[in-house]
Amino acid sequence: MTVSVAEQNQMGWQFDNTYSRLPEVLFASAKPAAVAAPRVVILNHRLADDLGLQLEGMSPEAAASLFAGQDLPVGSLPIAQAYAGHQYGNFTMLGDGRAILLGEHRTPSGQLVDIQFKGSGPTRFSRRGDGRAALGPMLREYIISEAMFALGIPTTRSLAVVTTGEPVMRETRRQGAVLTRVAASHIRVGTFEYVAGRGDEANLRLLADYTINRHYPNLPDSPNRYLEFFRAVMDRQAALVARWQLVGFIHGVMNTDNMAISGETIDYGPCAFMNAYSPTTVFSSIDHAGRYAYGNQPAIVQWNLTRFAETLIPLLDPDQEKAIAIATDALNQYPALFQQYWLTGMRAKLGLQSVEAGDFELAQSLLTWMQKAKADFTNTFRDLSADEPLSKALYQEAEFQAWHSQWQLRLNQESRPTTAVHAAMRGVNPAVIPRNHRVEEALAAAENNNDLSVLERLLAVLAKPFEAGTDSAIYREPPTDECDYRTFCGT
Ligand code: AMP
Ligand code: MG
């Protein structure tokens, strides 16, 4: 089944190909591979509407063909992007090995977004990989990215998942699939590392100007425009990782190639949400040293920003020593910046409106107790937001009771009625997160039995994470035992 040009025009694609107009060192042309028997697994109709795309009129066959890359949207110009990156601390040349960028689509609100296929076959950057993706990991990205969006956290989105009708060989034989990803852009810290690594100052400046124009068009007028750019990226990254910490999201593989300059969460691989609070929580099967553990994430952002700042050195000052001093000075402001975002978010989670000196310690002592009590991170904050008394056994512990009295004293300094405090808290403390055992059960049903009903029920509750209706009750329960839970990159 092919999609005619007339049909495609009716769909509403408005492609521009701004990245393709950048110097050719930044990409390689690419072509999605032909596949045997594409079939739609899931389409994100709400996102399609926001993008100005009409999917309703399409037959399932035409949609499958489109999202498997068999019929390219009119105006698209497929490329694979070049980038480098520090993976677990080691520098490597990379590039889109299993992703193809179709170009940028202009939404009805005027926003320019990347439309990218993930798993659509090899590119010039595939190295030894097959360029393919398995259904489970693509659906995992769909679930978690859409959950993050509903939580209000900047993220790439998922428009469609289709199976290819071809197997991919991983630890076992799995169904091949293609995810259509929508992103503010796919420009990464690693993209800058790639250009800087070539010692290519002219193209570095071009890339920086392109990125500023696309993501930071309102930078303050300053003689040091690239320093302002760095500060703005740092600001968004500090805000982003604070949001992750405040919901217990663990990215799992915060390599510099998985950090987007736009400030969106990107590249959902072995990511997972924490249940019982512990800073040492790691789920990724390959993160043996815990480099990307929950509690390390804010510091890793600073490490990645340091790699980013290094790429900008030639643009910061002609005198290299001065440039390094400028970058170091900016980077030194990161810890306070992160702490400010985190504490502001923590105050909201605790229902506090004003700023008081002991607030950090108040939040920290709750976390200290949670870690000792192995309390569930999400449910503890949600329980604190309830109007009912805290009846669970763990809340009867003396240490918690002492903390609770302190918190009540602090709340009494503000004049909000308790019911209003609780209502505000329920607006920022999610009732539902994508719990690992619920995600796994949805993926298993989809992959092993072609049963999407479990996934669809999960997505429905994740779309309204702050509501605690009866339909979400089972999704709010932590797993009974999760000591051995491991996530995989799925590459
Ligand atoms: P990731 O950890 O998924 O962000 O991937 C790291 C790098 O490996 C990226 O440059 C990917 O394009 C590449 N890669 C991952 N899986 C494959 C695959 N199956 N085939 C080719 N390249 C891959
Ligand atoms: Mg990646």
Side-chain angles (χ1 to χ4, degrees), residues 83 87 94-99 125-127 129-132 170 253 257-258 267 489 491:
Y83 52 86
Q87 299 192 303
L94 296 159
D96 286 332
R98 58 158 177 172
F125 307 106
S126 296
R127 297 178 290 172
D130 60 4
R132 310 283 181 156
R170 296 296 182 257
V253 57
D257 49 301
N258 292 336
D267 276 8
C489 283
T491 52

Coordinates of all heavy atoms in Angstrom, one line a residue, residues 83 87 94-99 125-127 129-132 170 253 257-258 267 489 491, ligand 1:
Y83 N 27.4 12.6 15.2 CA 27.8 13.2 16.5 C 28.8 12.3 17.2 O 29.1 11.2 16.7 CB 26.5 13.3 17.4 CG 25.6 12.1 17.6 CD1 25.9 11.1 18.5 CD2 24.5 12.0 16.8 CE1 25.0 10.0 18.7 CE2 23.6 10.9 16.9 CZ 23.9 9.9 17.9 OH 23.1 8.9 18.1
Q87 N 30.8 8.1 26.3 CA 29.9 7.0 26.8 C 30.6 6.4 28.1 O 31.7 6.0 28.0 CB 29.8 5.9 25.7 CG 29.1 6.5 24.5 CD 28.7 5.4 23.5 OE1 29.5 4.6 23.1 NE2 27.4 5.4 23.2
L94 N 30.3 8.7 17.1 CA 29.1 7.9 16.9 C 28.3 8.4 15.7 O 28.8 8.4 14.6 CB 28.2 8.1 18.2 CG 28.8 7.6 19.5 CD1 28.2 8.3 20.7 CD2 28.6 6.1 19.6
G95 N 27.1 8.8 15.9 CA 26.2 9.2 14.8 C 25.0 8.3 14.9 O 25.0 7.3 15.6
D96 N 23.9 8.7 14.1 CA 22.7 8.0 14.1 C 22.9 6.6 13.5 O 22.9 6.5 12.3 CB 21.6 8.7 13.3 CG 21.1 9.9 14.0 OD1 21.1 9.9 15.3 OD2 20.6 10.9 13.4
G97 N 23.1 5.6 14.3 CA 23.3 4.3 13.7 C 22.0 3.5 13.5 O 22.0 2.6 12.7
R98 N 21.0 4.0 14.1 CA 19.7 3.3 13.9 C 18.5 4.3 13.9 O 17.4 4.0 14.3 CB 19.5 2.2 14.9 CG 19.5 2.6 16.3 CD 18.7 1.7 17.1 NE 18.8 2.1 18.5 CZ 18.1 1.5 19.5 NH1 17.3 0.5 19.2 NH2 18.2 1.9 20.7
A99 N 18.9 5.5 13.5 CA 17.8 6.5 13.5 C 18.0 7.3 12.2 O 19.1 7.5 11.7 CB 18.0 7.5 14.7
F125 N 26.5 5.5 9.8 CA 27.1 5.5 11.2 C 26.8 4.2 12.0 O 27.0 4.1 13.2 CB 26.6 6.7 12.0 CG 26.8 8.0 11.3 CD1 25.7 8.7 10.7 CD2 28.1 8.5 11.2 CE1 25.9 9.9 10.0 CE2 28.3 9.7 10.5 CZ 27.2 10.4 9.9
S126 N 26.2 3.2 11.3 CA 25.8 2.0 12.0 C 26.9 1.1 12.6 O 26.7 0.3 13.5 CB 24.9 1.1 11.2 OG 23.7 1.8 10.8
R127 N 28.1 1.3 12.2 CA 29.2 0.5 12.6 C 28.8 -1.0 12.5 O 28.3 -1.4 11.5 CB 29.7 0.9 14.0 CG 30.2 2.3 14.1 CD 30.6 2.7 15.4 NE 29.4 2.9 16.3 CZ 29.5 3.1 17.6 NH1 30.7 3.2 18.2 NH2 28.4 3.3 18.3
G129 N 26.3 -2.4 14.1 CA 24.9 -2.6 14.5 C 24.1 -2.8 13.2 O 24.5 -2.5 12.1
D130 N 22.9 -3.3 13.4 CA 22.0 -3.7 12.3 C 21.0 -2.5 12.0 O 20.2 -2.6 11.0 CB 21.2 -4.9 12.6 CG 20.3 -4.8 13.9 OD1 20.3 -3.7 14.5 OD2 19.7 -5.8 14.2
G131 N 21.1 -1.4 12.7 CA 20.2 -0.3 12.4 C 18.7 -0.5 12.8 O 17.9 0.3 12.5
R132 N 18.5 -1.7 13.4 CA 17.1 -2.0 13.7 C 16.8 -1.9 15.2 O 17.6 -1.7 16.0 CB 16.8 -3.5 13.3 CG 17.3 -3.8 11.9 CD 16.3 -3.3 10.9 NE 16.8 -3.7 9.5 CZ 15.9 -3.8 8.5 NH1 14.7 -3.5 8.6 NH2 16.4 -4.1 7.3
R170 N 18.4 -10.3 19.0 CA 19.0 -9.7 20.2 C 19.5 -10.9 21.0 O 20.0 -11.9 20.5 CB 18.0 -8.8 20.9 CG 17.7 -7.6 20.0 CD 18.9 -6.7 19.7 NE 18.6 -5.5 19.0 CZ 18.8 -5.3 17.7 NH1 19.4 -6.2 17.0 NH2 18.5 -4.1 17.0
V253 N 21.2 6.2 31.2 CA 22.4 6.2 30.3 C 22.7 7.7 29.9 O 22.5 8.0 28.7 CB 22.3 5.2 29.2 CG1 21.1 5.4 28.3 CG2 23.6 5.1 28.3
D257 N 26.1 12.0 24.5 CA 25.3 11.9 23.2 C 23.8 11.7 23.5 O 23.0 11.8 22.6 CB 25.8 10.7 22.4 CG 25.9 9.4 23.1 OD1 26.7 9.4 24.1 OD2 25.3 8.5 22.8
N258 N 23.4 11.5 24.8 CA 22.0 11.4 25.1 C 21.5 12.6 25.9 O 20.5 12.5 26.6 CB 21.8 10.1 25.9 CG 22.1 8.8 25.1 OD1 22.0 8.9 23.9 ND2 22.4 7.7 25.8
D267 N 16.4 10.0 24.4 CA 17.0 8.7 24.3 C 16.6 7.8 25.5 O 17.4 7.5 26.4 CB 18.5 8.8 24.1 CG 18.8 8.9 22.7 OD1 17.9 9.1 21.8 OD2 20.0 8.9 22.3
C489 N 19.4 -1.8 27.4 CA 19.5 -0.7 26.4 C 18.6 -1.1 25.2 O 18.0 -0.3 24.5 CB 20.9 -0.5 25.9 SG 21.9 0.4 27.0
T491 N 19.5 -2.2 22.4 CA 20.1 -2.0 21.1 C 20.4 -3.3 20.4 O 20.7 -3.3 19.3 CB 21.4 -1.1 21.3 OG1 22.2 -1.7 22.2 CG2 21.0 0.3 21.7
Ligands
AMP1 P1 22.0 4.6 22.6 O1 22.8 4.0 23.8 O2 20.8 3.8 22.2 O3 21.8 6.1 22.7 O4 23.0 4.4 21.3 C1 24.3 4.7 21.3 C2 24.8 4.7 19.9 O5 24.8 3.4 19.3 C3 24.0 5.6 18.9 O6 24.9 6.3 18.1 C4 23.2 4.6 18.1 O7 22.9 5.1 16.9 C5 24.1 3.4 18.1 N1 23.2 2.2 18.0 C6 22.5 1.7 19.0 N2 21.8 0.5 18.5 C7 22.2 0.3 17.3 C8 21.9 -0.6 16.3 N3 21.0 -1.6 16.5 N4 22.4 -0.5 15.1 C9 23.3 0.5 14.8 N5 23.6 1.4 15.7 C10 23.1 1.4 16.9

